[in-house]
Amino acid sequence: MTYVLKLLAMVLFVTCVAAYAFKPAFKELLSPAEYKRAWNVVMVTVVCTYLCKFPGVFLFVLAAVAVYAAVLVDRGPVGKLAVYLLLASVAPPIHVNLGGVGGINYLLSLDHLRVMSLVLVSWAAIELVAAKSQPRTVRFLWVDLLVVAYQLLRILLMVPHSSLTTLVRASVEAGLDILLPYYVVTRGIRSMADLRFAGGHMLIGLLFAASVGVAEAALQHNLFSGLQSFYGVQWQLTYQLMRGGLVRVQAATPQPIVLAFMMLFAIGLAYWLKGEQWRRARVTALFGAIFIALAATFSRGQWLAAAAL
């Protein structure tokens, strides 16, 4: 427990420094109250991550924090989507299998993303369906058919070698992981202001991951992987991956390549949100953290992609 508390202290320190350092870059994106609230949600989530001890307790507390944060934001489906995108990069992939019955191993594997999809994204989807009086700005698109068809194809390819239970589970997982978030994103965001609000919250989550990556590179120690023994849940093959004697950073992700892809997305998202301001000194720290974290993942394919970008 002492080791976990030390990790918690380090991550909280990194979070406070990041919230202070990146604040000038968000001046035109979020109000001071919105920016402060977003980082407070990150801090509360970090504390819960390091103290809950049991996977089921952690997922329940995370759901409560996410719902409370969505109520505070109070912007309808966009607010719930913003909280979902914010916390997607903050919580580690602690998961629990819902117990099966009879000959069924387990009914469903729940992780932080699926729990938030259940409590936040489904809530937003219900609001969108119920708001029939509002004019629909996004109608049926061909891309909708392609997204659904791809999930159906994936499940159909499983039919010859999968049981009925596995097929049902895969269908539910596809709905929670892909289709439900896709519906809320494409139907819930109705203006550029909505898009920038949700994107700003997502960028804060990505910057938290980048900041943890910078700290891991400096300390040469992963700050989240030790939670695997604390929770009794394994989400990576080894506790630390090395490259040339140096630790490959990964923050709360299951492996460095995942963090590298997130940093690639953060580059494009930050550039779009800041526009012509990306050269200003107050934005330098933002891009600096992203590039340092990306470099410290030692993911050569993502290095090449960043150079091309």
Side-chain angles (χ1 to χ4, degrees):
M1 187 66 184
T2 303
Y3 173 66
V4 172
L5 292 177
K6 289 180 180 178
L7 293 178
L8 172 59
M10 285 186 279
V11 176
L12 283 179
F13 176 76
V14 169
T15 306
C16 292
V17 172
Y20 175 79
F22 302 138
K23 185 176 181 179
F26 282 81
K27 187 176 181 180
E28 295 85 7
L29 290 175
L30 301 173
S31 69
E34 291 169 342
Y35 183 82
K36 181 180 179 180
R37 181 174 57 224
W39 279 104
N40 285 339
V41 172
V42 171
M43 288 187 184
V44 171
T45 304
V46 167
V47 172
C48 296
T49 301
Y50 282 88
L51 297 183
C52 282
K53 176 63 176 173
F54 302 103
V57 174
F58 165 72
L59 293 176
F60 178 81
V61 172
L62 177 66
V65 170
V67 170
Y68 182 67
V71 172
L72 287 180
V73 172
D74 192 26
R75 285 192 55 157
V78 176
K80 297 168 185 62
L81 181 62
V83 175
Y84 173 84
L85 295 174
L86 170 69
L87 295 182
S89 303
V90 176
I94 298 169
H95 61 275
V96 61
N97 293 334
L98 298 182
V101 291
I104 301 174
N105 259 347
Y106 67 96
L107 296 175
L108 184 67
S109 179
L110 286 179
D111 59 9
H112 63 299
L113 292 176
R114 286 177 184 160
V115 165
M116 289 193 296
S117 186
L118 283 169
V119 300
L120 285 182
V121 185
S122 61
W123 183 7
I126 292 172
E127 288 183 343
L128 289 172
V129 172
K132 293 181 178 179
S133 59
Q134 296 182 4
R136 297 189 178 275
T137 57
V138 180
R139 301 183 183 278
F140 177 81
L141 303 172
W142 280 107
V143 69
D144 300 341
L145 179 61
L146 294 175
V147 170
V148 174
Y150 180 78
Q151 298 306 314
L152 291 175
L153 175 63
R154 187 173 65 86
I155 293 171
L156 287 174
L157 292 174
M158 296 171 59
V159 170
H161 51 81
S162 300
S163 64
L164 178 61
T165 305
T166 302
L167 294 175
V168 173
R169 184 187 303 126
S171 302
V172 174
E173 291 173 350
L176 293 176
D177 298 345
I178 306 295
L179 300 179
L180 194 58
Y182 173 79
Y183 172 76
V184 173
V185 168
T186 56
R187 271 59 182 176
I189 295 178
R190 297 175 177 270
S191 66
M192 185 59 69
D194 289 346
L195 185 57
R196 292 178 66 82
F197 181 79
H201 281 76
M202 186 178 190
L203 184 59
I204 289 177
L206 292 170
L207 287 173
F208 167 80
S211 302
V212 173
V214 172
E216 290 181 348
L219 298 170
Q220 285 298 290
H221 187 78
N222 292 137
L223 299 179
F224 279 89
S225 58
L227 292 176
Q228 293 177 93
S229 57
F230 182 62
Y231 277 94
V233 174
Q234 187 174 11
W235 61 74
Q236 62 192 80
L237 295 178
T238 58
Y239 276 60
Q240 284 190 334
L241 291 173
M242 309 290 292
R243 179 67 58 83
L246 296 174
V247 169
R248 299 180 66 186
V249 305
Q250 59 190 58
T253 65
Q255 57 176 300
I257 292 178
V258 177
L259 180 62
F261 275 117
M262 289 167 56
M263 294 302 98
L264 278 175
F265 189 83
I267 294 171
L269 179 61
Y271 181 80
W272 176 75
L273 287 172
K274 297 311 299 176
E276 292 300 321
Q277 301 176 14
W278 70 274
R279 295 182 179 88
R280 295 184 181 180
R282 64 185 182 183
V283 187
T284 303
L286 185 153
F287 282 101
I290 294 172
F291 278 107
I292 292 172
L294 174 60
T297 62
F298 293 98
S299 301
R300 289 164 294 188
Q302 285 69 37
W303 287 354
L304 293 174
L309 181 61

